[in-house]
Amino acid sequence: MSETMVRVSNVYKSYVRGKQKVEVLHGLTIEIPKGDFVALMGPSGSGKTTLLNLIGGLDRPTSGEILVGGQRIDQLSGNALAKWRARNVGFVFQFYNLMPVLTAERNIELPLLLTDLSAAQRRKSVAVALEVVGLSDRARHKPKELSGGQEQRVAIARALVSDPTILICDEPTGDLDRKTADEILGLLQVLNREHGKTIVLVTHDPKAAEFARRTLHLEKGQLLEQAAA
Amino acid sequence: MTRSGFVFANLLRKKTRTVLTLLSVVTAFLLFGLLQAVNVMFSAGADFVGATRLVTQARVSFTQSLPMRLLPEIEAVPGVEQVMWQQWFGAVWQENTQLFFFATDPARLHAVYPEYVMPDQQWKAFEETRTGMIVGRILADKYGWRIGDKVPIASNIFPQKNGSKAWIFDLVGIYDGKDEEWQRNTNLGWINHAYFDEATLFGTGLAGTFTLKLSNPDQAAQIAQTIDSKFENSPDETKTQTEKDFNLGFFKQIGDIGLIVRWILFAVFFTLLLVVGNTIAQSVRERIPELAILKTLGFTDGNVLGFVLAEAAAMCVIGGLLGLGLATLIGIKIGGGGNFPIAVDHRVWITGVLAIVGLSLAVGLLPALRASRLSIVDALAGR
Ligand SMILES: Nc1ncnc2c1ncn2[C@@H]1O[C@H](COP(=O)(O)OP(=O)(O)OP(=O)(O)O)[C@@H](O)[C@H]1O
Ligand SMILES: [Mg+2]
């Protein structure tokens, strides 16, 4: 676990809204080794989502360096960043964000349309991903026909299917009951322990953080302490 | 699933809305197909004849006949290869069906209009039968006339010497067009001018209009000018123009249908633009978060642009082709003969397909650009 997966160095991020400039991250530095499972906690507005978006290549820092999997991503162009995301990152969000018009298996297949896998290979990858999240029997269901927990499993399968090295989860259990949340978190733990996925998990729930290997606290755009779980 | 599968899945998101929009596209293109066919008929009643012939008419109006004595002078103009004349007969079939019949010289008609195809022996019969007439295939089929029939045709202009406006002609030939276009215009009838000239109570010595075949069409303008200046300040001033312009002038008498048709089409497409444009724009607005997720997954701005454009195009292409197809069917039904040779043909289809492409871009481009420019972070946060 010595190899570095994510290195955020002296990153500043500010948003300009009208005449007002809001500085969200002030010179943040974080290092996450490969195979880690980090829970990121902190009060609302502390910049957790902002940080995740930067690590996941959804947004660019105002200044500072971001290295993920050995690649500088803070300078990449929009298209290069899109291609990089397709290969390297899986995203899981609080509200699942599945395509309502597609069945579970097609939702999971969607990112594979960006690869040059054949239809048969895609089907196989989808089947494996469904198996991992334990939803093989719901392949043909549309999101509306699934429970929240099942929807989130589909979303996790979609994040997994292209075999990314890092999973980025923004409050994935924020909308679920305790039991279902624990199942989802347990699943993430398995993905980390058995499949070697590096995971960054934002959560407000201290119990959820217990599933991670360690917890980072963010407050007003700065890291508070580093505690081993 | 493929990318196009994904596009279609999105189209079916709101089935009622898609079907209604599709219906409006179908209707618009049905109208487009039919009106465009009418348009083509009126503007290119002219186009296909080309500019190889000139028509010399009386300067005031083609309804005024030119006298036969101009013939040698016109024939003498260098570059004029053959001259034929045609006198409007004012033909009426049975009670009140107006037909397009002209009195002409058979041999000259044959020489000036190689586009009319008829066996040599029928051309010969036309030349040799004083009371002979020939008609185009469409007319013959429509009224069931056969070669050998004696056909009573009245004239609403010219009585015979005995004062009767009832004439009878022997059908000695039925001609076809050399191609599809000319075939559609085989709705004329021709009688022998020599016989007409002799039998008519008045109008003897009148030629009507002259049609000139040129040895070199490039000289058309210059020859036309030579002829017209020749007769300037004479009692028989002439106006010489290409056959195409002559036909256009003829149709203008009916009213500028082309212009009306274009205005209707403009209104139809403007409405369509609003309807389809609104549908696409709305469907983009509804799924901003989904589009943001596509980008999150690694689809580029260009990919997203493509998805939205493809949706717009699919709608326009499916609706447009259905509409044009329907128009073609209807065109075959109502245009299969007679004086209204409307056909939804390749020209209509070409403009139709161009209209489909144009419409797709017009309704799809702005929403597609909007979708492609979406900021992921803002869209995901619902900003
Ligand atoms: N695009 C933006 N434009 C302007 N301000 C923004 C933008 N994105 C984030 N912010 C501001 O940055 C700050 C941090 O937002 P962020 O979403 O990172 O917080 P968070 O820690 O994820 O909060 P929560 O726990 O509520 O999700 C907030 O004050 C927010 O209003
Ligand atoms: Mg957040």
Side-chain angles (χ1 to χ4, degrees), chain A residues 1-16:
Chain A
M1 270 215 339
S2 54
E3 210 180 321
T4 303
M5 188 65 212
V6 178
R7 178 183 290 137
V8 174
S9 320
N10 201 23
V11 158
Y12 288 79
K13 177 68 185 176
S14 48
Y15 295 102
V16 182

Side-chain angles (χ1 to χ4, degrees), chain A residues 15 17 24 43-50 171 204, chain B residues 378 383:
Chain A
Y15 295 102
R17 180 163 286 170
V24 183
S44 186
S46 57
K48 303 182 297 296
T49 298
T50 303
E171 302 184 41
H204 283 289
Chain B
D378 286 345
R383 267 186 287 262

Side-chain angles (χ1 to χ4, degrees), chain A residues 17-31:
Chain A
R17 180 163 286 170
K19 278 183 190 151
Q20 252 185 329
K21 191 171 147 192
V22 191
E23 191 161 83
V24 183
L25 302 178
H26 326 275
L28 193 66
T29 298
I30 296 181
E31 200 162 309

Side-chain angles (χ1 to χ4, degrees), chain B residues 154-322:
Chain B
S155 168
N156 57 17
I157 305 173
F158 301 106
Q160 296 195 56
K161 289 229 155 58
N162 63 13
S164 161
K165 283 189 172 177
W167 297 66
I168 291 190
F169 300 100
D170 293 299
L171 185 59
V172 295
I174 296 172
Y175 65 88
D176 288 289
K178 75 162 174 144
D179 56 25
E180 196 192 324
E181 206 107 53
W182 281 90
Q183 189 67 27
R184 218 177 294 133
N185 282 267
T186 54
N187 52 355
L188 307 181
W190 303 87
I191 60 172
N192 204 321
H193 188 269
Y195 168 61
F196 163 79
D197 201 50
E198 200 178 278
T200 184
L201 182 58
F202 56 81
T204 303
L206 293 181
T209 59
F210 293 96
T211 306
L212 290 50
K213 189 179 174 198
L214 309 180
S215 34
N216 177 5
D218 294 341
Q219 300 175 333
Q222 179 216 325
I223 293 176
Q225 211 196 346
T226 310
I227 293 174
D228 290 347
S229 55
K230 202 171 199 144
F231 300 111
E232 216 174 333
N233 298 322
S234 83
D236 303 303
E237 290 198 311
T238 59
K239 176 171 153 191
T240 303
Q241 53 193 335
T242 62
E243 189 178 18
K244 174 178 166 180
D245 290 339
F246 175 77
N247 285 2
L248 275 179
F250 185 77
F251 284 122
K252 285 236 171 70
Q253 301 270 324
I254 310 174
D256 201 338
I257 299 210
L259 188 69
I260 297 168
V261 164
R262 278 194 292 280
W263 273 108
I264 297 177
L265 286 180
F266 179 75
V268 167
F269 273 88
F270 187 71
T271 316
L272 194 63
L273 215 67
L274 297 184
V275 172
V276 184
N278 183 50
T279 301
I280 304 284
Q282 199 176 327
S283 95
V284 164
R285 228 176 296 129
E286 279 166 8
R287 56 195 158 109
I288 297 282
E290 286 175 45
L291 295 164
I293 285 295
L294 280 180
K295 291 188 166 190
T296 303
L297 294 178
F299 288 93
T300 60
D301 295 359
N303 291 147
V304 172
L305 182 99
F307 279 133
V308 176
L309 256 191
E311 265 177 60
M315 202 107 86
C316 298
V317 168
I318 295 172
L321 293 184
L322 277 177

Side-chain angles (χ1 to χ4, degrees), chain A residues 51-70:
Chain A
L51 177 60
L52 275 197
N53 289 343
L54 292 177
I55 296 175
L58 294 178
D59 205 355
R60 268 171 287 215
T62 312
S63 69
E65 268 183 41
I66 299 178
L67 217 79
V68 181

Side-chain angles (χ1 to χ4, degrees), chain B residues 23 39 41 46 55 82 92 108 119 134 141 147 151-153 159 186 215 220 237 246 255 285 288 313 342 370:
Chain B
L23 270 181
N39 207 3
M41 181 182 83
V55 175
Q82 265 287 351
V92 178
R108 289 170 184 260
I134 61 170
D141 287 349
I147 291 178
V151 184
I153 299 280
T186 54
S215 34
E237 290 198 311
F246 175 77
R285 228 176 296 129
I288 297 282
I342 165 176
R370 178 174 178 202

Side-chain angles (χ1 to χ4, degrees), chain A residues 17 82 85 91 100 113 122, chain B residues 1 3 290 295-296 298 383:
Chain A
R17 180 163 286 170
R85 284 196 301 273
F91 293 90
L113 296 183
R122 293 202 300 266
Chain B
M1 186 179 61
R3 286 188 193 200
E290 286 175 45
K295 291 188 166 190
T296 303
R383 267 186 287 262

